[in-house]
Amino acid sequence: SLILKSSSQYPLPQGVKLSYGTAGFRADASILESTVFRVGILAALRSLKTQSLTGLMITASHNKVTDNGVKIADPSGGMLTQEWEPFADAIANSPTPQHFVQLIDEFVKKENIRFDGVRSAKILLGRDTRPSGESLLEAAKQGVYSIVGATGIDMGILTTPQLHWMVRARNKDMKATELDYFEQLSSSFRFLVDLTPNQIKMSKTDDKLIVDGANGVGGEKLEVLKKMLNSMDIEIRNSGKEGGVLNEGVGADYVQKEKVVPQGFHLKDVGIRCASLDGDADRLVYFSVQSNNTSKIDLVDGDKILSLFALFIKEQLSILKMEGDDHVDENYEARLGVVQTAYANGASTDYLRQLGLEVVFTPTGVKYLHEKAAEYDIGIYFEANGHGTILFSESFLTWLNARNNELSSKSKGSEQQKAVLRLLAVSNLINQAVGDALSGLLLVEAILQYKGWSIYNWSELYHDLPSRQLKVKVVDRTAVVTANAETVVVRPPLIQEAINVEVAKYPQGRSFIRPSGTEEVIRVYAEASIQEAADSLANSVAKLAD
Ligand code: 16G
Ligand code: ZN
């Protein structure tokens, strides 16, 4: 068969064992060709099965430039359905072309996937700026084209969220080119900013934003977007054009984990609002340079972005509720939910709960948070590392649109109508397929303008508890099994009791361990009332994990 023939050209390197993990396959780029080829086939099968367009993205996000990776976007624009992950693992590790073809045959029968010539598969292919991306994209195409009737559309260099957005838009029969993406983001941003009450004038320094592009794809895309925003003062550094290395001493992952300034930022930036994207622009954090110690930053992480979004949405919902009208169907009790992981700073969870919000927890990994957030009318999720977005239910959007029409005739320009329009603008601005640093950044900027806030006002929403993250190299990370959204270790036995004993020694202490989904390590997280205590708690828990 065609698959047999072409897969012989992509032999699996010796000793490779890959797992789809939390975010697709990742490894040193030099060993990934066969994997990407196979994932090309998988994306085509997924498209045939769902009779919809799927996506394939080649990226290793915040990892080093010599790494690469591949993941699939499902027809919804979200991550590949978890039901297909075991099959993804099986084919990526299949030792011979014959075995590989047999696996596919069995799976196609089991899933009842039909190749009748009438149905065809379509896959959007994208990659980040990694040099290995070009040849890996070629391997992905070969995979796609080894399925009869399948077409791969090469979209070139994109951010991960752009690719997800395009898949979602296409399957909804909406305009879905890259220009459409930029137009939707910029027009909904301008619309939202126009709804700012009494146009609070910000001081000159509060106007300016400096963005660290991680020397990746985000910087160059933001350059394009920026031209469509006319009024915004954005300076982009580490765009990749200045010769810096992708993710090396730059980017959201570095800034959030190390809590130091990225390369290219200096003392003269004190007082200016700064933001950092990761290598494929699906993560966003903000920071400001400390005036007393120029290598240190005040970090405004994903938890605080989440808090800003939640506060804003809650405010708009309460404006809606202030109506004096007594039409029954005008009162839609929108269910607002907030989703975090165990990495969320305890102070953020306290803050959100004190706002009266429902806060729930899932294990690490966007697929879990996203799935949970989709259960609400408005579901906001964020990981502390800066990946997150806001999801709106179809029924709530329908209600908002109807409400807008009604208010247009009854009380045009009222506060209620403005709140409705703001929520609609947010639903167009925020990327509902997946977390997106560019759309998230524009929403942060619009809300800061709305509130007339500097980054310091925002940062003061609450004070982070000091925390520490460590990793412990292990031979087999699967030995550690957790429960309750990774907050409790259930295997090996007795470790959890020992962690509890350590935690009890520190005021406001909290700590957990979990196997990484992307590296052969156990991760340790600890927080406590002072930094020394968080460090010491992390160290003693790390010893237990060893
Ligand atoms: C991946 C996940 C991210 C998670 C991280 C944890 C996606 C798109 N990305 O980057 O959400 O925070 O893995 O890594 O799901 P770890 O399991 O190695 O700690
Ligand atoms: Zn990323």
Side-chain angles (χ1 to χ4, degrees), residues 164-180:
H164 284 263
W165 183 93
M166 287 173 184
V167 169
R168 179 175 186 270
R170 280 233 189 185
N171 284 323
K172 285 176 152 257
D173 282 324
M174 298 184 333
K175 293 200 273 173
T177 66
E178 188 173 19
L179 185 63
D180 294 324

Side-chain angles (χ1 to χ4, degrees), residues 26 59-62 71 160 278-283 387:
R26 265 184 219 177
T59 177
S61 183
H62 57 281
K71 58 184 165 187
T160 298
D278 77 336
D280 62 341
D282 61 353
R283 289 192 196 173
H387 190 121

Side-chain angles (χ1 to χ4, degrees), residues 381-456:
Y381 71 85
F382 258 90
E383 293 190 313
N385 62 27
H387 190 121
T389 191
I390 309 177
L391 304 181
F392 290 81
S393 74
E394 284 302 328
S395 60
F396 183 56
L397 287 176
T398 307
W399 180 84
L400 278 177
N401 278 305
R403 197 75 194 99
N404 181 41
N405 289 338
E406 208 180 337
L407 290 167
S408 289
S409 55
K410 278 205 311 223
S411 51
K412 203 175 171 64
S414 65
E415 280 312 305
Q416 283 75 25
Q417 189 184 20
K418 283 187 190 155
V420 167
L421 289 172
R422 282 186 200 111
L423 290 170
L424 285 170
V426 172
S427 77
N428 289 320
L429 172 55
I430 203 76
N431 187 336
Q432 293 189 55
V434 76
D436 182 337
L438 300 184
S439 90
L441 179 138
L442 291 187
L443 183 55
V444 166
E445 293 299 314
I447 298 177
L448 290 181
Q449 286 197 33
Y450 172 84
K451 298 195 84 68
W453 276 3
S454 68
I455 190 168
Y456 300 104

